[in-house]
Amino acid sequence: TRLVAGNYQLRRNMSMREVASALFHGRSARMVLTVPAGWRVEQLAAHLDRQGIMDGNQFLAEVRRGDALDHPLLAALPPGHSLEGYLFPGSYQVLDSATPRDLGLGMREHMANRLPPNAPDLARQQGLTFHEALTLASIIERETLVIEERPLMASVFLNRLRSQIHLQADPTVQYAMGYQPDTGQWWKTPVRLEEYEAVDSPYNTYLYAGLPPGPIASPSLASIMAVLQPAQSDYLFFVCRNSNCDRG
């Protein structure tokens, strides 16, 4: 009655006492993977490597292949596009035998299960495909840590899109800049104004109008819902009032 339920990896040469001990102490063949919201796929791949869960390079190759699930929520993924943004943040139990494809499928299925079934319709009401909504949600995820601000921030960005004003979102420039070897970080901060024009990338929303080609990180449910159900406003700008912000 004290055996622990779960999935176990047992060797053929284990004695009955060793098998019983494994089941009694709950040493299962699962590892817990926690993925924070706002990570890009390279950060997740490096974490998988560090934790010894699976080969990070193989995982990166798998998600860049961009195979979509047969699910209406994920049908908007452009052919050949990476799964950036579609790997839902959260905690996962990963079997020792899990492959990069298994993990990628599980994370996408988790997102599909957490979102409302009418998510594509809600996106269309904002003039977006679900892929575009996910892209905007990933920008909002990187813009603010305050959940309560996100529907209003979504409103600002949607108003800019409708007014054909450049989004001018700092995280898109950081994403385009990529890994920073001098600091060991994937998100350069701060980014100087003169650097914006030097980053020639379709992800640079200071140079290119509209949304970038795809998500820049894994957005949380709160960020996705902020885009699907934004606040109503005519605002086109927002400013940081935190004392830690540059120039207040």
Side-chain angles (χ1 to χ4, degrees):
T1 59
R2 296 182 62 184
L3 300 184
V4 180
N7 288 274
Y8 294 85
Q9 192 168 48
L10 306 176
R11 302 186 310 276
R12 290 182 180 273
N13 63 348
M14 290 176 76
S15 67
M16 293 300 289
R17 183 178 295 275
E18 288 173 328
V19 172
S21 178
L23 301 178
F24 182 81
H25 292 290
R27 293 193 297 270
S28 74
R30 291 176 181 262
M31 298 186 71
V32 177
L33 168 67
T34 300
V35 182
W39 268 10
R40 55 193 291 163
V41 291
E42 294 92 345
Q43 288 177 280
L44 175 53
H47 182 70
L48 292 171
D49 245 350
R50 284 194 304 270
Q51 298 299 313
I53 296 175
M54 64 180 59
D55 186 291
N57 288 329
Q58 290 182 8
F59 178 79
L60 204 53
E62 176 66 32
V63 299
R64 283 175 173 167
R65 192 173 297 120
D67 296 336
L69 280 176
D70 184 17
H71 192 284
L73 282 180
L74 308 179
L77 178 68
H81 197 282
S82 84
L83 298 176
E84 183 81 85
Y86 288 81
L87 304 176
F88 200 67
S91 292
Y92 297 87
Q93 289 190 335
V94 185
L95 290 172
D96 281 351
S97 58
T99 66
R101 180 170 177 79
D102 293 335
L103 178 57
L105 286 170
M107 297 180 79
R108 281 172 282 167
E109 287 173 349
H110 187 41
M111 181 177 72
N113 292 334
R114 291 293 305 278
L115 287 170
N118 67 335
D121 294 329
L122 293 175
R124 279 191 288 272
Q125 291 174 19
Q126 304 304 323
L128 305 171
T129 66
F130 181 73
H131 180 73
E132 291 171 333
L134 199 62
T135 299
L136 184 53
S138 71
I139 295 173
I140 292 170
E141 186 67 46
R142 296 296 312 180
E143 278 279 5
T144 180
L145 297 174
V146 183
I147 292 177
E148 293 77 13
E149 293 178 346
R150 295 178 189 183
L152 192 55
M153 184 173 285
S155 175
V156 171
F157 282 131
L158 287 167
N159 288 340
R160 289 186 190 178
L161 288 172
R162 292 162 185 155
S163 302
Q164 297 184 329
I165 297 174
H166 282 46
L167 289 183
Q168 296 187 343
D170 292 2
T172 63
V173 183
Q174 294 172 321
Y175 183 79
M177 295 177 83
Y179 184 70
Q180 302 296 303
D182 54 332
T183 59
Q185 296 180 352
W186 278 101
W187 303 93
K188 186 180 188 302
T189 182
V191 181
R192 300 187 307 275
L193 286 173
E194 57 268 25
E195 292 181 281
Y196 294 156
E197 293 184 359
V199 181
D200 188 7
S201 165
Y203 283 89
N204 185 344
T205 54
Y206 281 81
L207 294 182
Y208 293 89
L211 288 163
I216 61 172
S218 294
S220 63
L221 181 62
S223 292
I224 299 173
M225 294 308 301
V227 176
L228 298 180
Q229 297 176 324
Q232 298 300 310
S233 82
D234 57 0
Y235 297 143
L236 292 173
F237 299 93
F238 53 84
V239 64
C240 179
R241 292 192 300 181
N242 189 308
S243 60
N244 293 327
C245 292
D246 185 27
R247 294 181 296 279

